[in-house]
């Protein structure tokens, strides 16, 4: 009985689907941008097999629907056995090579090599994942067939088939939307809100009345949120900066307005401006408008470095717009961060332009990840061309960033997509782990824009069209931090990059979506031209930051 059941289950599979699914399974073992554990590899391989199987089922259905003649039993058996043999050889070779491919990513990142790809575990996990997806797909088909079968008693068969498909789709979508998105995301929002409200015992409320969150501040300490309190209380002091440089230094000004500080984004932006005025932010040499990540986190590597470079004569301001991690913020409230960033820019830029040009600070924009995207969306350059701000540093810009996307698409011919050159370089330049900011045909103009991006960062180089065509950054010579064995496979590469995005912050610092202070230093030097720094002192500053532990809170 058990044997017959297994045979029936085996015969229920589509041979074309199994063939394509096996090839997709094998392709999923090739490297992408981020190293994967065997468990995640099994998850990816199971999804890849399911994708290939689904395409095969569709191809078989389309063949029959078009009325094309079926193969003879002999040809079909021969094809099945030949395909099974070829697939078995492919899978065996790819499983054997899997550890080597993973090490081609791990070794450039300084990670220990893996001895084995653990093929049995990968295969078992992939099988469970595929069967789970298959059961859901067959449940969908059952609902569709049941619905259309009952409708055929009253309406024409083809109309019933279409309506049955719509009924099944609406039913499944209502379950996904109601259970997964609404309940799940509501739970996530509640969890992140509670985490944001957590008062950390190792962070003391500032006693200095000039600091945000102090007794004299317009922003309450409790209202700053977890990330805001960390940002305000951290960073170098004037004494620390002076001890390193040997020069007098000022206490950097850091202004932060949390999500609970006011009801609307417009009110929070106005409150930020008032707090900046109270703290004397417009009296500094450098003023940085920061758009934080989804959780409200500000990368300390991005701000600590510029504060050292300018002897603390720096003021910065950030306004929180979400509790959620960046990818959840994009999913739930994609426009909210841009609205907050735009409101803050309008408030600050409006006040800044009214100041005398010879006494006002130099104004810069800054953001990492989702913060880079929303900072980009906060300003229309045509609106400021008459009185431009001095520049922007956008690190790890998401693939959907409009200005970044336009510049990459219009790059100088011959420059790679992972390190493009845009026109003569007088307005916009790109850099990575190696400083390429001096490689331009023209000197900087009045406005300077720098994109700091790693070729191994999937947040930057995720490409939705990878489902059907090879991304431009894969057609060029490989970057040093990208595996030379990376190859494009339709559908599979999209799944690989999607998993890479979820793992983007799990890499060592200086790879993936974790940006190193040393690379921020090169960017800020190019943007702001700090005084009293030569190559030796800059190298010493880089070495000092390289010895620091990886910052907490990245999302």
């Amino acid at each position: 009985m058990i044997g017959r059941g297994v045979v029936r289950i085996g015969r229920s599979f589509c041979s074309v689907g199994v063939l394509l699914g096996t090839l997709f399974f094998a392709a999923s073992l090739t490297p992408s941008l981020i190293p994967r554990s065997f468990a995640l590899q099994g998850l990816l391989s199971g999804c890849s097999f399911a994708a290939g199987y689904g395409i095969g089922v569709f191809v078989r259905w389309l063949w029959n629907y078009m009325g094309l003649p079926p193969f003879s039993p002999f040809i079909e058996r021969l094809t099945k056995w030949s395909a099974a043999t070829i697939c078995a050889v492919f899978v065996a070779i790819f499983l054997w090579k899997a550890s080597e491919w993973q090490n081609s990513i791990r070794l450039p990142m300084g990670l220990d090599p893996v001895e084995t790809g653990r093929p049995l575990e990968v295969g078992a996990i992939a099988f469970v994942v595929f069967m789970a997806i298959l059961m859901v797909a067959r449940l969908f088909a059952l609902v569709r067939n049941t619905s259309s079968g009952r409708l055929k008693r009253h309406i024409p068969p083809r109309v019933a088939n279409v309506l049955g498909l719509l009924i099944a789709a609406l039913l499944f979508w209502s379950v996904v939307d109601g259970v997964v998105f609404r309940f799940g995301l509501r739970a996530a929002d509640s969890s992140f809100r509670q985490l944001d409200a957590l008062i950390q015992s190792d962070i003391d409320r500032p006693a200095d009345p000039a600091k945000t969150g102090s007794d004299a501040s317009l922003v309450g300490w409790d209202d700053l949120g977890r990330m805001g309190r960390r940002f305000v209380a951290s960073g170098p002091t004037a004494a620390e900066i002076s001890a390193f440089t040997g020069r007098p230094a000022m206490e950097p000004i850091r202004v932060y307005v949390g999500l609970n500080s006011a009801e609307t984004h417009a009110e929070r932006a106005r409150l930020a401006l008032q707090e900046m005025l109270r703290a004397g932010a417009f009296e500094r040499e450098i003023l940085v408008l920061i758009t934080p990540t989804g959780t409200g986190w500000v990368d300390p590597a991005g701000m600590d470095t510029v504060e050292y470079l300018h002897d603390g004569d720096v003021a910065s301001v950030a306004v929180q717009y979400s509790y959620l991690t960046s990818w959840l913020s994009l999913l739930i409230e994609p426009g909210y961060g841009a609205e907050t960033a735009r409101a803050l820019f309008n408030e600050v830029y409006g006040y800044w332009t009214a100041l005398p040009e010879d006494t006002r600070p130099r104004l810069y924009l800054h953001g990492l990840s989702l913060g880079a995207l929303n900072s980009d969306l906060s300003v229309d350059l045509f609106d400021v061309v008459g009185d431009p701000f001095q520049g922007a540093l956008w690190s790890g810009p998401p693939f959907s960033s409009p200005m970044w996307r336009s510049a990459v698409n219009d790059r100088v011919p011959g420059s790679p997509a992972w390190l493009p050159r845009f026109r003569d370089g007088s307005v916009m330049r790109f850099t990575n782990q190696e400083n390429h900011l001096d490689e331009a045909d023209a000197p900087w103009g009045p406005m300077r824009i720098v994109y700091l991006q790693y070729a191994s960062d999937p947040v930057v180089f995720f490409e939705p069209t990878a489902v059907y065509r090879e991304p431009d950054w894969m057609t060029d010579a490989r970057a040093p931090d990208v595996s030379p064995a990376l190859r494009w496979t339709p559908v599979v590469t999209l799944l690989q990059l999607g998993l890479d995005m979820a793992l983007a912050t799990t890499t060592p610092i200086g790879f993936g979506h974790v940006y190193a202070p040393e690379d921020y230093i090169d960017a800020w030097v190019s943007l702001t031209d700090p005084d009293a720094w030569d190559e030796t002192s800059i190298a010493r500053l880089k070495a000092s930051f390289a010895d620091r532990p990886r910052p907490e809170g990245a999302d």
Side-chain angles (χ1 to χ4, degrees), residues 212 217-220 223-225 228-229 231-232 254-265 267-276 292 296 316-322 340 344:
T212 298
S217 174
L218 302 176
V219 185
D223 294 334
L224 284 177
R229 288 187 289 271
F231 173 68
V232 169
R254 291 188 171 190
V255 172
Y256 194 97
V257 175
L259 200 55
N260 291 323
S261 300
E263 289 295 325
T264 67
H265 60 265
E267 292 173 348
R268 288 190 287 274
R270 285 193 291 270
L271 178 60
L273 177 61
Q274 294 167 5
E275 179 70 4
M276 292 171 68
S316 57
V317 56
V319 175
Q320 186 181 17
Y321 54 86
S322 171
T340 300
L344 177 63

Side-chain angles (χ1 to χ4, degrees), residues 200 203-215 217 219-221 223-237 251-258 261 275 278-279 290 296-298 300 303-304 307 316-319:
Q200 297 135 296
I203 299 179
D204 297 325
R205 184 177 187 179
D208 184 351
K211 289 186 174 292
T212 298
S214 66
D215 289 336
S217 174
V219 185
W221 179 247
D223 294 334
L224 284 177
R226 185 172 65 102
M227 295 301 183
R229 288 187 289 271
R230 178 181 296 176
F231 173 68
V232 169
S234 65
T237 65
E251 195 76 22
I253 294 174
R254 291 188 171 190
V255 172
Y256 194 97
V257 175
S261 300
E275 179 70 4
R278 187 195 70 82
I290 307 169
W297 183 66
V298 177
M303 285 312 304
D304 293 359
E307 290 168 346
S316 57
V317 56
V319 175

Side-chain angles (χ1 to χ4, degrees), residues 97-295:
K97 295 274 290 182
S99 60
E100 177 185 337
W101 283 330
Q102 283 302 303
N103 288 334
S104 72
I105 316 172
R106 298 176 65 86
L107 293 178
M109 294 185 178
L111 296 172
D112 294 332
V114 294
E115 298 298 328
T116 174
R118 303 179 72 169
L120 295 180
E121 291 93 334
V122 169
I125 295 171
F127 177 77
V128 171
V129 171
F130 166 68
M131 291 303 296
I133 296 173
L134 181 64
M135 291 302 101
V136 172
R138 290 189 172 181
L139 178 60
F140 181 90
L142 177 63
V143 173
R144 180 202 62 195
N145 293 336
T146 301
S147 301
S148 61
R150 293 185 177 182
L151 290 171
K152 286 176 182 178
R153 303 172 187 172
H154 311 287
I155 58 178
R158 292 189 178 182
V159 176
N161 288 336
V162 173
L163 291 178
L165 179 63
L166 291 176
I167 291 171
L170 289 174
L171 180 60
F172 271 67
W173 173 249
S174 65
V175 172
V176 171
D177 182 56
V179 176
V180 178
F181 284 104
R182 294 190 181 180
F183 176 77
L185 294 179
R186 189 180 297 115
D189 182 69
S190 176
S191 298
F192 280 108
R193 184 183 295 111
Q194 293 176 20
L195 182 62
D196 185 73
L198 180 66
I199 303 294
Q200 297 135 296
S201 59
D202 61 333
I203 299 179
D204 297 325
R205 184 177 187 179
D208 184 351
K211 289 186 174 292
T212 298
S214 66
D215 289 336
S217 174
L218 302 176
V219 185
W221 179 247
D222 292 347
D223 294 334
L224 284 177
R226 185 172 65 102
M227 295 301 183
R229 288 187 289 271
R230 178 181 296 176
F231 173 68
V232 169
S234 65
T237 65
E240 291 170 339
I241 296 172
S242 183
F244 182 87
T245 63
R247 299 185 296 269
M250 303 176 69
E251 195 76 22
I253 294 174
R254 291 188 171 190
V255 172
Y256 194 97
V257 175
L259 200 55
N260 291 323
S261 300
E263 289 295 325
T264 67
H265 60 265
E267 292 173 348
R268 288 190 287 274
R270 285 193 291 270
L271 178 60
L273 177 61
Q274 294 167 5
E275 179 70 4
M276 292 171 68
L277 294 172
R278 187 195 70 82
F282 289 92
E283 299 168 12
R284 295 302 176 97
E285 177 195 6
I286 301 291
L287 176 57
V288 183
L289 271 62
I290 307 169
T291 304
T293 63
T295 58

